[in-house]
Amino acid sequence: MYRKIIVAITFFTVLLIYTSCSQAEDSQESTNDITGTINSSPVTDINTDTSTDSSDSETYGTDTIAPDEQDIAAIINRNLDIIAEDFDDNDEYGSIAKHAKEFEEIVNFGEEALPYLDEVHTTAEVLYMNFQNMRAVVAMHAKYAIKPELYDREYPSPDGKYALKAAIESFVTGLNPFMGFSYYLSIIDTSDGSVLVTADKAYDIYGSFFNPQIKWSPDSQYLTISESYRHYYYVTYAFDIKNSVFVHLPYEEELNGLPGWSTVYTDSDIGSELNCLYCYFGGWGEDSVRINVCVGMNAGYEVYLGWYEYNFTEGKVTAHEYSPGSEYPSLTEITESNDIGEIINKNLDILIDGSDSFNSEQQFIDAHPDEYNAIISLGEDALPYLAEISSTFKAYDISVENNRGIMARAIEYAIMPELYDRVYTSPDGKYMIKAEVATFFGAVWGGGWTTQYGRFSVIDVSSDEVIVSVNEIDDYDYCTMFEVSWSPDGRYAAVEYSDGRFYTKTAVFDIAGADLILLPRDAEIKQLVSAEYDIDHPDYYVLEWLDGGKVKISIYFRCGIVSETDGWYVYDLEARKIVDSEYTVIYY
C-alpha cells in the first residue's frame, strides 16, 4: 500500500503542475522536465505484496513461487531487506555498519553474488529514497566491496607515470540523474600505487561526462577536473603534482575580487539577471592554466564574461580580462605555437563558417570537404589538440561556436572510433555488444545536441566476427540513452533504450540464434492489461534474468490522466511469448 500511495501522490503532483503550466509548456520546453535516465519511472518490487484495499486499484496475475532459502539469491535478498529496513541515506556506511553481519554474509559469496546484485541494482528509481532504492544502494555497496574496479576509475597522465584515481564515496548521490556518484579523488604514482596528492573532500562528478571534464597538462604535472550540477554551476579544480597540492581555482568570491569584475550580469537581450557561474578549462600555459568564465541561467542560456590565467608556481591569478558579452575565445595554447594546432584551428574555422542552419556532420563536410580532409590527414597526431577543442562542447548550446566543439568530436571519431563507440562484454568474455555513434548532433529535449548511437552489433571476441548487426533498434532511428544487460550465461543481451524523456523500451539479442528479439510493444502490452486508452510514457526494462531462457520485464505506463499501470511480465525468449504477468492499475 505504501508503494501505491507514493505513486499516486507523485502522479497527482505532476498532474497539478501540468494543469497550471500547460500553456507555458506549449510555447517553451523546460529543461526541468528532462528525466534523462534509463529506468526512471516507478517499478514494482518483486518481493512486495501487491494486494490493496483500495476500490480504485486492481491487481492481476499468477502466484509466484517462494525461492529456496538455501539459494544464494534468497539469502542475499533476505539480508538486503534487513539492512534496507534500517537504512539512513544520510549515513549509508553507518547504516551498513549497523548490520555488518548481514552485509558480510552477502559479500562472502564473492563474485557469485554479482549477477543477482546487478538485478537488484537495476530496480533503483531516480530521485526517490524508498525501501526499494535502499536495497539497490546496499546492493551497489556489496558489489563494490566484492569488486572495487566495477566503480573505481583511473585516468593516466600522458607520460603514464601518474593517474587520477576516483574512488567511490557515495552511491546515494547517483540516484539523482543530474549528479552521479560521489568520488574521493587522488593522484597516484602508477609504478607503486602510492598516493601523491589527495583532494580535500569527495566530489559529485556527473558520471556521463566524467572523462571529458579531466584535462592533463602535456608535461603531466597538472590536471584540472570539473564539478557541475545541471545548469546551476560549473566549478573547475586542479591537481598540482609538481608542488603536491590540490587547488581550488578562483570562483565567485575570488573573481569578484579581481579589478573590474562582477559575476552577476543583466542580459539586455532577455532582460534577466544571470547569476549561474560556469568556469571552463581554457588551455595550458607554462606552469599555468587558463579558465574561461561564463554566466547564465539554469535553463542553459550563457554569456561569456572573460578569462583568467592561474599560475601554479606563484599560486595566484597573474592575468585576466573582463569583457562581458564578447565572443567565446578559441583555445589559446594550441594555436600559433604549434604547426598541427595552427592547421586544425585554421581549417576548423572554415569548416564551421556559415553553419547556422547545419544540423549534421555531413552538411559541414559537404560544404568544406578539403578543410575536413586536411585535419583528417593529420591522423592520431591531431587527437590531443582535437580533444582540447571538443572539451568546449556544451550540451544545451546551439550556437555556431559550439559547432566547433561538436565537429572536433566528429573528426576525433573519424580518426579513432573507439574514443566514442561503446562496448559491453559478456560475463564469460566470449562476446561483446558494440554500439557505434550515429551522430553528435542528436537533439536534446529543451534544445541542444547530444551523442546518439545507431548500429548495434554482436561480435565474437576471439575471431572479431560480427554475429548479428542492426542499423537501428525497433522503429526508432537512433538511441539517445541506452544500457546493456547480459544474461548470466551470456546467451542473451538486453538493450534498454530511451529518448531521455518519453519512453524506455527493451530489445534482446539472441546470441546463439543470431537474432534481435523485439519484446512486446505498446499494442501488445495494451492488450495484455486490457487498457482502454492508448499508452503514453512507457517504461519497459529488465528486472531479472530467469532460468530456461526467460526474462522478467518491468512495465510501467500512463493512459493520459485516466490511469497508471505498474507491474511485470515474464517473457520466454525461445517460445517468443509472455508466459506470466502481474500488474496493478490505479485509476484517477
Side-chain angles (χ1 to χ4, degrees):
M1 187 62 185
Y2 168 78
R3 169 81 186 98
K4 294 166 190 166
I5 291 172
I6 291 293
V7 172
I9 291 172
T10 302
F11 184 83
F12 273 118
T13 301
V14 172
L15 178 58
L16 288 171
I17 294 172
Y18 172 82
T19 303
S20 63
C21 300
S22 59
Q23 291 182 343
E25 289 180 351
D26 287 340
S27 61
Q28 181 178 1
E29 289 288 337
S30 169
T31 55
N32 291 331
D33 290 336
I34 300 173
T35 55
T37 183
I38 300 290
N39 299 352
S40 62
S41 297
V43 297
T44 299
D45 188 335
I46 60 174
N47 300 299
T48 301
D49 181 7
T50 57
S51 62
T52 177
D53 56 1
S54 170
S55 59
D56 288 335
S57 69
E58 303 171 8
T59 301
Y60 309 82
T62 59
D63 293 333
T64 56
I65 299 174
D68 184 351
E69 282 296 317
Q70 298 305 311
D71 183 78
I72 291 178
I75 296 171
I76 291 174
N77 195 52
R78 183 180 67 242
N79 286 312
L80 285 177
D81 285 348
I82 293 171
I83 301 171
E85 285 285 0
D86 196 24
F87 194 85
D88 178 1
D89 58 287
N90 291 317
D91 184 16
E92 52 195 291
Y93 286 96
S95 299
I96 292 171
K98 291 178 186 177
H99 299 283
K101 178 182 176 182
E102 287 79 8
F103 187 75
E104 184 179 5
E105 190 172 4
I106 299 173
V107 173
N108 284 343
F109 283 119
E111 295 195 13
E112 289 183 88
L114 293 179
Y116 183 72
L117 292 170
D118 281 338
E119 293 166 10
V120 177
H121 172 190
T122 62
T123 66
E125 302 171 349
V126 299
L127 300 179
Y128 288 91
M129 202 57 220
N130 53 21
F131 178 76
Q132 179 174 298
N133 274 0
M134 294 170 186
R135 294 179 80 252
V137 170
V138 176
M140 286 186 274
H141 274 285
K143 288 168 61 180
Y144 187 50
I146 294 168
K147 199 171 184 179
E149 58 267 32
L150 290 174
Y151 294 102
D152 286 350
R153 306 178 182 193
E154 289 189 10
Y155 299 91
S157 61
D159 62 9
K161 293 181 180 179
Y162 312 110
L164 170 69
K165 182 173 183 179
I168 286 289
E169 185 269 341
S170 171
F171 287 106
V172 169
T173 57
L175 297 178
N176 185 331
F178 302 108
M179 292 177 66
F181 298 140
S182 181
Y183 292 90
Y184 292 115
L185 305 174
S186 59
I187 301 295
I188 62 171
D189 185 322
T190 55
S191 65
D192 58 12
S194 60
V195 176
L196 304 177
V197 191
T198 302
D200 57 339
K201 65 180 183 68
Y203 288 87
D204 298 330
I205 305 297
Y206 192 172
S208 299
F209 300 102
F210 196 118
N211 197 24
Q213 291 185 102
I214 297 170
K215 298 297 174 188
W216 279 98
S217 63
D219 62 1
S220 300
Q221 293 300 302
Y222 306 100
L223 173 146
T224 63
I225 184 167
S226 301
E227 181 182 44
S228 62
Y229 180 76
R230 301 179 72 182
H231 300 297
Y232 291 96
Y233 61 80
Y234 194 101
V235 188
T236 298
Y237 308 93
F239 282 95
D240 177 352
I241 292 91
K242 184 180 289 187
N243 298 298
S244 301
V245 293
F246 178 75
V247 181
H248 283 253
L249 293 174
Y251 195 60
E252 185 172 14
E253 182 178 349
E254 296 86 352
L255 292 177
N256 285 317
L258 294 176
W261 275 70
S262 173
T263 58
V264 177
Y265 177 78
T266 299
D267 188 275
S268 57
D269 292 336
I270 62 174
S272 295
E273 183 180 273
L274 308 179
N275 54 13
C276 294
L277 188 60
Y278 319 112
C279 289
Y280 301 112
F281 171 81
W284 294 106
E286 185 175 351
D287 292 322
S288 66
V289 63
R290 175 169 170 162
I291 301 295
N292 292 324
V293 182
C294 294
V295 67
M297 56 193 299
N298 60 18
Y301 180 78
E302 294 182 21
V303 170
Y304 175 68
L305 284 186
W307 60 267
Y308 69 83
E309 183 170 321
Y310 183 89
N311 186 283
F312 292 102
T313 303
E314 298 185 35
K316 65 180 182 179
V317 173
T318 53
H320 60 89
E321 179 180 280
Y322 185 70
S323 53
S326 60
E327 185 177 348
Y328 193 92
S330 301
L331 297 177
T332 57
E333 190 56 24
I334 63 172
T335 53
E336 300 163 359
S337 61
N338 188 286
D339 290 341
I340 294 179
E342 288 182 31
I343 294 170
I344 292 172
N345 276 285
K346 179 180 69 177
N347 286 288
L348 261 183
D349 286 343
I350 298 172
L351 194 59
I352 68 169
D353 184 45
S355 60
D356 342 15
S357 60
F358 290 176
N359 56 16
S360 75
E361 295 89 339
Q362 198 58 48
Q363 287 177 301
F364 287 88
I365 296 168
D366 290 345
H368 302 286
D370 293 341
E371 287 73 18
Y372 174 78
N373 289 323
I375 303 175
I376 291 290
S377 67
L378 297 172
E380 293 187 16
D381 288 339
L383 293 178
Y385 306 97
L386 290 168
E388 298 286 358
I389 298 170
S390 68
S391 70
T392 66
F393 165 74
K394 305 181 186 70
Y396 293 91
D397 184 353
I398 57 174
S399 68
V400 172
E401 180 58 33
N402 201 40
N403 291 338
R404 185 182 180 84
I406 301 177
M407 285 308 297
R409 288 188 176 192
I411 298 171
E412 284 180 286
Y413 184 65
I415 295 172
M416 186 178 284
E418 55 266 38
L419 289 173
Y420 291 98
D421 285 346
R422 291 163 62 177
V423 172
Y424 300 82
T425 306
S426 62
D428 58 13
K430 294 181 179 179
Y431 305 100
M432 67 180 184
I433 301 289
K434 182 180 180 181
E436 300 178 34
V437 171
T439 179
F440 292 98
F441 281 91
V444 175
W445 288 108
W449 309 116
T450 189
T451 304
Q452 289 185 329
Y453 292 80
R455 180 184 294 274
F456 284 77
S457 305
V458 178
I459 300 172
D460 185 315
V461 172
S462 62
S463 64
D464 209 30
E465 176 189 359
V466 176
I467 297 172
V468 59
S469 182
V470 294
N471 288 326
E472 58 188 55
I473 295 180
D474 201 357
D475 51 349
Y476 303 100
D477 292 336
Y478 302 132
C479 294
T480 300
M481 308 186 71
F482 68 91
E483 292 293 340
V484 172
S485 169
W486 282 93
S487 63
D489 61 2
R491 164 70 189 268
Y492 301 101
V495 180
E496 300 164 351
Y497 53 96
S498 171
D499 70 341
R501 181 168 187 179
F502 288 114
Y503 66 81
T504 298
K505 298 188 179 182
T506 300
V508 176
F509 280 105
D510 177 356
I511 311 303
D515 192 16
L516 177 69
I517 303 170
L518 296 178
L519 296 185
R521 319 261 47 91
D522 292 351
E524 297 166 87
I525 299 300
K526 181 179 178 181
Q527 184 177 9
L528 173 70
V529 304
S530 301
E532 185 177 354
Y533 300 95
D534 289 341
I535 289 173
D536 60 47
H537 290 76
D539 199 5
Y540 312 141
Y541 61 90
V542 174
L543 274 177
E544 62 176 317
W545 293 97
L546 305 175
D547 294 334
K550 297 180 179 66
V551 61
K552 192 172 192 176
I553 302 294
S554 170
I555 56 174
Y556 169 83
F557 59 85
R558 302 201 305 261
C559 288
I561 59 173
V562 177
S563 66
E564 186 172 4
T565 300
D566 194 2
W568 53 263
Y569 67 82
V570 174
Y571 192 82
D572 188 323
L573 294 164
E574 296 180 4
R576 305 289 175 93
K577 65 180 182 180
I578 295 174
V579 295
D580 192 8
S581 65
E582 181 171 294
Y583 55 90
T584 299
V585 181
I586 300 176
Y587 297 96
Y588 302 104

